[in-house]
Amino acid sequence: MSPSSAHTASPYADALDRLPVRTAEVSILGGTTRYWDYGDPSAPTTLVLVHGFRGDHHGLEPVVAQLPGVRMISPDLPGFGASTPLTQAKHDIDGYARWLRAFAGSLGIDGRFVLLGHSFGSIVVSAALADEAAPDALHPNDVVLVNPIGQPALEGPRGIMTRLAIFYYWLAAALPRGLGFGLLRNRAIVRVMSVTMAKTKDRSLRRWIHDQHDRYFSAFSDRDVVLDAFTASVSHDVSEYAARIPERTLLVAAQKDDITPISAQYRLQKLFPDARLVVIPGVGHLIHYETPAEAARAIEDFLA
């Protein structure tokens, strides 16, 4: 059976099903942003979550499922999942930062406001916060970055893989539109990526991770959006912005991350005015899939 006809059951489904969820959408910069609102809307703390490259809100749901006492608002990035592309801004870091400031500002959050970014989302969150001169500048109470991209991607422990990815996206851009779009959604390439990033030895968990990537990793609107977002993801990193983020910050890093090694995460921590680093052992760039409970405990401890 194809992934579209038979899905692997989520190990976090029961916990997630116990959370109430509402969906809504808002128009921002010429696009429609769809978002999911989990938990008690009157909870004293609200987390706004920004997912990683080529994913959508589903990717952070395992973490959401572990935080029942918090309200969580999780949008699909413009051009990904159920959100339409921006028409009044580019899909680069500046464009995504503008989008995030406008999105968070549209929510009218009362009480404690926490901003969380995972992977590429960590760059978007950092860029949005670092621009203090922006007329719509964000001022959350706290910041959480999970699997933060703490140094240029080409300097990571698997720089060769990043170079192969750059070639892959370059080829997708060079081919005729239909062929390039098909290459970006090629299931075999998506599976190679998934196998490379997963560190768990649990076979059932690995199957579920691969199923998640099969289902959601190609949920982007068009070729141009994903190519622009990829360029943004390898052209910037959190270290560019850290010194300009005064908010109390939690970095949740992975011992075996193939994109930012743990030594770079310790260097990144020192760039922030006020940052705490929690390292989760035995996991790589998929904290949100493999160790969401550990990530949630780190977040709860930080917020407490």
Side-chain angles (χ1 to χ4, degrees), residues 112 142-146 148 247-253 265-266 268-279 297-304:
R112 190 179 191 181
D142 303 287
V143 179
V144 178
L145 304 179
V146 180
E247 290 83 6
R248 201 173 65 105
T249 301
L250 171 66
L251 308 176
V252 183
Q265 301 289 15
Y266 282 104
L268 177 65
Q269 178 192 10
K270 295 176 182 177
L271 298 177
F272 284 87
D274 183 3
R276 178 189 303 180
L277 173 64
V278 173
V279 178
R297 296 296 81 76
I299 293 168
E300 285 185 330
D301 291 346
F302 175 70
L303 296 182

Side-chain angles (χ1 to χ4, degrees), residues 89-174:
K90 295 180 179 179
H91 294 87
D92 56 13
I93 287 299
D94 288 342
Y96 279 119
R98 286 180 59 197
W99 162 82
L100 178 56
R101 290 194 296 268
F103 174 73
S106 75
L107 298 173
I109 296 172
D110 292 322
R112 190 179 191 181
F113 166 34
V114 182
L115 196 53
L116 182 152
H118 171 255
S119 188
F120 176 58
S122 73
I123 308 176
V124 174
V125 165
S126 299
L129 292 175
D131 191 353
E132 286 286 321
D136 54 354
L138 288 176
H139 299 286
N141 298 95
D142 303 287
V143 179
V144 178
L145 304 179
V146 180
N147 284 124
I149 309 299
Q151 67 176 22
L154 289 175
E155 295 178 11
R158 291 208 180 188
I160 185 63
M161 294 297 291
T162 304
R163 288 177 173 84
L164 288 174
I166 289 173
F167 174 73
Y168 165 64
Y169 285 99
W170 171 84
L171 183 60

Side-chain angles (χ1 to χ4, degrees), residues 97-304:
R98 286 180 59 197
W99 162 82
L100 178 56
R101 290 194 296 268
F103 174 73
S106 75
L107 298 173
I109 296 172
D110 292 322
R112 190 179 191 181
F113 166 34
V114 182
L115 196 53
L116 182 152
H118 171 255
S119 188
F120 176 58
S122 73
I123 308 176
V124 174
V125 165
S126 299
L129 292 175
D131 191 353
E132 286 286 321
D136 54 354
L138 288 176
H139 299 286
N141 298 95
D142 303 287
V143 179
V144 178
L145 304 179
V146 180
N147 284 124
I149 309 299
Q151 67 176 22
L154 289 175
E155 295 178 11
R158 291 208 180 188
I160 185 63
M161 294 297 291
T162 304
R163 288 177 173 84
L164 288 174
I166 289 173
F167 174 73
Y168 165 64
Y169 285 99
W170 171 84
L171 183 60
L175 288 170
R177 183 169 294 273
L179 290 175
F181 193 64
L183 179 64
L184 290 170
R185 286 184 161 172
N186 183 277
R187 288 186 179 273
I189 294 174
V190 169
R191 179 55 56 90
V192 168
M193 174 280 306
S194 188
V195 168
T196 299
M197 289 200 295
K199 303 302 181 188
T200 180
K201 303 300 182 183
D202 185 321
R203 292 185 178 182
S204 62
L205 183 56
R206 288 182 72 90
R207 282 196 299 271
W208 177 74
I209 290 170
H210 299 333
D211 179 66
Q212 291 291 288
H213 286 136
D214 285 343
R215 295 172 67 181
Y216 304 121
F217 203 65
S218 296
F220 48 84
S221 60
D222 58 67
R223 180 176 70 165
D224 292 341
V225 164
V226 75
L227 292 175
D228 288 347
F230 174 75
T231 300
S233 74
V234 297
S235 302
H236 300 273
D237 65 86
V238 175
S239 68
E240 296 176 42
Y241 311 104
R244 289 177 281 151
I245 299 174
E247 290 83 6
R248 201 173 65 105
T249 301
L250 171 66
L251 308 176
V252 183
Q255 180 191 22
K256 297 182 178 181
D257 199 329
D258 291 326
I259 298 178
T260 301
I262 201 63
S263 58
Q265 301 289 15
Y266 282 104
R267 290 195 297 270
L268 177 65
Q269 178 192 10
K270 295 176 182 177
L271 298 177
F272 284 87
D274 183 3
R276 178 189 303 180
L277 173 64
V278 173
V279 178
I280 300 181
V283 68
H285 203 67
L286 302 181
I287 283 176
H288 59 309
Y289 283 153
E290 296 187 34
T291 57
E294 289 86 340
R297 296 296 81 76
I299 293 168
E300 285 185 330
D301 291 346
F302 175 70
L303 296 182

